[in-house]
Amino acid sequence: MRLTFLGAGTSTGVPSIGCSCETCRSDDPRDKRLRVSILLEHDDKKILVDTSIDFRQQALRAKIDYLDAVLITHCHVDHVFGLDDIRPLNFRHGAMPIFANEIAWTDLRRIFRYIFNPTHFGGGLPQLVPHIVTPNAPFMISENLTVTPVEVIHGKLPVIAYRFNDFAYATDLNFISEESIDALQGLDVLVLDCVRIKPHSTHLGLSEALDYIKRINPKRAFLTHLNHDIMHQRDSNLLPENVLFAHDQLVIEPT
Ligand SMILES: [Zn+2]
Ligand SMILES: [Zn+2]
């Protein structure tokens, strides 16, 4: 399995517009963060999690020329506003399966009304085959790749974390239930939300993230959705040995 971090940044991206803090002025490429998204490749399958607002740039940078499926964690701007940019892949390969939970589908159909209730003919709309995911109801992308949706809470919003065999991606959350912690046991790699050092009302701060990592106990963990309070080199010494900050264009073999 091969995991590419297409973006590891919070909703504003880093640098943040108009900001002159130390991180936003940093020359370290690991401090340049597009909005969160990952590409997962396993055997011949390629899966995108979230069509971030930076999807076009991320797809060009990672040379994405094909996708088997798009999985959506939740319908917030930073995670879905690149949806229209899957059209070039549709032009070449046809309609694409897209997975999201019911609450995200309600918002996707409202926000992208022009896609789901087209009012005019032509114009090159995204071609999507919608699928609804249900927490703890696994589905197969291929014989060797089982995807288990795991519900986590982002403020008040139920968000879907996705487990792929023994790798899991859990972003945009500030609470994980006991049941979901159980569903995340036995991981080789966990990618987890950590928006900043201090606590936050809808995301994990660093100490909350490290507490969940202790309870979930993956072999390795990567923190993502990072804002400009976190400077990669300066703050890496705050992390235990098996935990790292993610960064854009980082490629790992999670399992
Ligand atoms: Zn987000
Ligand atoms: Zn800044």
Side-chain angles (χ1 to χ4, degrees), residues 15-16 19-24 228:
S16 180
C19 185
S20 56
C21 77
E22 198 183 355
T23 309
C24 289
H228 61 171

Side-chain angles (χ1 to χ4, degrees), residues 9-11 36 74 76 78-79 154 171-172 193 203 225:
T10 192
S11 58
V36 276
H74 66 302
H76 278 172
D78 45 332
H79 298 258
H154 181 31
T171 187
D172 292 66
D193 181 292
H203 287 276
H225 212 294

Side-chain angles (χ1 to χ4, degrees), residues 4-254:
T4 305
F5 288 91
L6 299 174
T10 192
S11 58
T12 56
V14 178
S16 180
I17 293 173
C19 185
S20 56
C21 77
E22 198 183 355
T23 309
C24 289
R25 284 186 289 109
S26 166
D27 290 328
D28 186 339
R30 297 171 301 180
D31 291 322
K32 311 279 183 216
R33 303 175 186 131
L34 297 181
R35 269 54 76 88
V36 276
S37 174
I38 57 165
L39 175 69
L40 194 69
E41 294 165 89
H42 187 56
D43 298 335
D44 59 339
K45 299 295 177 195
K46 292 189 189 211
I47 295 145
L48 177 76
V49 183
D50 290 334
T51 53
S52 98
I53 199 165
D54 294 315
F55 174 64
R56 179 176 178 277
Q57 191 181 345
Q58 291 166 332
L60 292 171
R61 188 163 78 169
K63 299 189 165 39
I64 294 174
D65 56 1
Y66 176 79
L67 290 172
D68 287 280
V70 175
L71 311 187
I72 300 292
T73 58
H74 66 302
C75 186
H76 278 172
V77 167
D78 45 332
H79 298 258
V80 300
F81 265 31
L83 183 60
D84 199 78
D85 281 323
I86 69 155
R87 289 180 305 136
L89 300 176
N90 294 147
F91 300 155
R92 299 165 70 92
H93 304 289
M96 191 180 298
I98 175 167
F99 296 77
N101 65 359
E102 193 139 24
I103 196 163
W105 271 118
T106 302
D107 285 339
L108 287 165
R109 289 180 191 282
R110 179 175 51 80
I111 291 166
F112 295 98
R113 202 186 144 95
Y114 72 96
I115 299 177
F116 298 102
N117 299 89
T119 53
H120 65 284
F121 181 75
L125 295 174
Q127 297 162 40
L128 306 169
V129 182
H131 295 270
I132 298 173
V133 304
T134 309
N136 307 316
F139 57 95
M140 311 288 282
I141 296 270
S142 74
E143 235 173 71
N144 301 318
L145 186 58
T146 303
V147 183
T148 308
V150 178
E151 189 171 272
V152 295
I153 303 298
H154 181 31
K156 290 183 175 169
L157 182 71
V159 164
I160 299 296
Y162 289 98
R163 178 174 184 152
F164 307 86
N165 298 347
D166 289 335
F167 159 65
Y169 182 70
T171 187
D172 292 66
L173 66 100
N174 62 321
F175 177 75
I176 310 177
S177 69
E178 290 297 330
E179 188 188 5
S180 293
I181 287 175
D182 286 347
L184 294 170
Q185 295 300 303
L187 293 174
D188 289 330
V189 167
L190 169 68
V191 175
L192 186 63
D193 181 292
C194 175
V195 75
R196 64 184 186 189
I197 308 291
K198 288 181 296 184
H200 187 279
S201 57
T202 61
H203 287 276
L204 298 176
L206 181 59
S207 67
E208 294 78 30
L210 295 179
D211 284 349
Y212 276 122
I213 289 168
K214 268 196 201 135
R215 292 172 64 193
I216 293 167
N217 197 27
K219 289 188 186 132
R220 290 190 291 159
F222 292 82
L223 302 175
T224 195
H225 212 294
L226 311 169
N227 86 356
H228 61 171
D229 289 352
I230 294 169
M231 199 172 172
H232 194 101
Q233 183 77 42
R234 182 193 66 199
D235 296 322
S236 285
N237 63 0
L238 302 173
L239 304 179
E241 205 184 349
N242 64 335
V243 182
L244 294 168
F245 292 121
H247 62 82
D248 284 33
Q249 296 182 283
L250 173 64
V251 177
I252 62 163
E253 289 234 346

